[in-house]
Amino acid sequence: MKTLILGSNSAIARAVAEILAQRGDTLYLASRNYEETERFASHLKIKYGVKAYADRFDATDYDSHGPFVGRVLERMGEIDRVLIAFGYLGDQERAVRDFNEARKIVEINYLGAVSILTHIVPYMEERGKGVIAAISSVAGDRGRGSNFPYGSAKGGLSIYLSGLRNRLFRKGIRVITLKPGFVDTPMTAHLNLPKRLVSKPERVARDIVRAMERGGDVVYTPWYWGVIMGIIRAIPEPIFKRLNLR
C-alpha cells in the first residue's frame, strides 16, 4: 500500500507511520518542517527497509496544493490512502479578540483540508478506489466555551467529510472521520487535562490504522469518547451553557 501522510511530524501521525512502515507500506511524508520530515523518513527507511519520501506541505499555501499532489503521484505512482493529520489548537483567548488568530485556526484545521482534498478527490474518483482519513476531534461535536474556535473548525471538517463520504461511497472510496479525545502530544502539553482521559499517541494510532484497513465511517478514539460525546450532545442547551466543560 502507498500512503500519503499530511502533517507527518505530529505525534499521532508519526505513530501511524511507524505502524505502517512496520507492515511494509510505502510512505509519503509531508509537513511544513521539511528538515524534520526528511529525518523521520530516513529513520523509517533505515529501521524498516521501506520506501519513505519526504516533502514540504503547508496547509494554508493553497496555490501549492495542486503541484504538490502532482509531485506525489510522480514520485509514488499512485495514492492508495491519505491521512490528514495536520492541525492547530491555537490560543483560545487570543482568537476571541484577534481575528488573525481565529482565521489561522479555521484555515489550518478546515480550509487547508478542504483545499488539499479538492486535488486528491478527483484523482481517487477517476481511479475508483482509495481511502481518505482525516483527524477531526471530539471538540467538533458541540461548541464549548473553552475551545469553540478550534471546535468550530473541526466541526466544519467533520460535516465536510460526512458529505464527501456520501458522495464517494458508491465510487468505491472510503472516507473516515477520526475523532480523538485528549491525547498526550506537544499540542496539548500546556493544558490541564483529566489524566484518566488522556491517551498516548500510539493508542490512537492503532485505532486509526485499524479503521483505514478494516473500515469505519466515524471513529472515536479511544472508543469510550463516543459514549462521552453522546452524553454531552444530549444535554439540553439551557443546562449545557451553565456547565464549565473543557
Side-chain angles (χ1 to χ4, degrees), residues 47-95:
K47 185 174 181 179
Y48 300 106
V50 298
K51 290 183 179 179
Y53 301 93
D55 205 343
R56 185 181 185 278
F57 174 80
D58 186 335
T60 60
D61 186 3
Y62 309 124
D63 291 339
S64 72
H65 291 179
F68 170 82
V69 173
R71 198 160 57 245
V72 175
L73 292 172
E74 182 181 351
R75 298 176 74 182
M76 276 213 305
E78 58 191 18
I79 303 171
D80 297 310
R81 299 185 293 209
V82 178
L83 173 62
I84 294 177
F86 55 81
Y88 175 64
L89 184 62
D91 185 322
Q92 158 81 13
E93 291 306 313
R94 181 181 170 193

Side-chain angles (χ1 to χ4, degrees), residues 16-211:
V16 169
E18 290 274 358
I19 295 172
L20 295 180
Q22 194 171 17
R23 298 183 182 189
D25 271 28
T26 295
L27 300 174
Y28 199 104
L29 310 176
S31 74
R32 284 186 302 167
N33 188 336
Y34 173 74
E35 290 74 18
E36 186 63 28
T37 304
E38 191 174 38
R39 281 194 290 270
F40 184 51
S42 297
H43 157 75
L44 295 177
K45 286 188 283 189
I46 294 170
K47 185 174 181 179
Y48 300 106
V50 298
K51 290 183 179 179
Y53 301 93
D55 205 343
R56 185 181 185 278
F57 174 80
D58 186 335
T60 60
D61 186 3
Y62 309 124
D63 291 339
S64 72
H65 291 179
F68 170 82
V69 173
R71 198 160 57 245
V72 175
L73 292 172
E74 182 181 351
R75 298 176 74 182
M76 276 213 305
E78 58 191 18
I79 303 171
D80 297 310
R81 299 185 293 209
V82 178
L83 173 62
I84 294 177
F86 55 81
Y88 175 64
L89 184 62
D91 185 322
Q92 158 81 13
E93 291 306 313
R94 181 181 170 193
V96 172
R97 297 172 174 81
D98 181 354
F99 174 69
N100 289 326
E101 177 69 1
R103 180 174 63 184
K104 183 177 179 181
I105 292 170
V106 173
E107 286 194 338
I108 293 176
N109 292 297
Y110 178 64
L111 292 181
V114 172
S115 174
I116 190 63
L117 285 175
T118 60
H119 297 283
I120 292 172
V121 167
Y123 161 76
M124 287 194 168
E125 283 185 311
E126 184 176 345
R127 191 173 181 228
K129 61 180 179 178
V131 177
I132 296 170
I135 297 178
S136 182
S137 172
V138 297
D141 278 17
R142 188 164 189 178
R144 302 197 298 280
S146 61
N147 68 348
F148 64 88
Y150 173 79
S152 67
K154 289 298 191 180
L157 176 60
S158 293
I159 293 173
Y160 177 86
L161 293 169
S162 178
L164 190 63
R165 180 162 47 248
N166 183 263
R167 171 187 172 92
L168 299 179
F169 171 71
R170 291 173 180 81
K171 300 185 179 183
I173 301 162
R174 292 195 291 116
V175 178
I176 306 167
T177 305
L178 303 161
K179 294 187 177 184
F182 302 135
V183 185
D184 183 15
T185 68
M187 189 172 77
T188 62
H190 66 288
L191 300 177
N192 183 23
L193 301 175
K195 292 184 178 181
R196 291 185 179 182
L197 293 179
V198 178
S199 301
K200 293 295 183 182
E202 293 75 15
R203 165 71 187 275
V204 173
R206 289 194 296 270
D207 288 343
I208 290 174
V209 172
R210 186 181 302 113

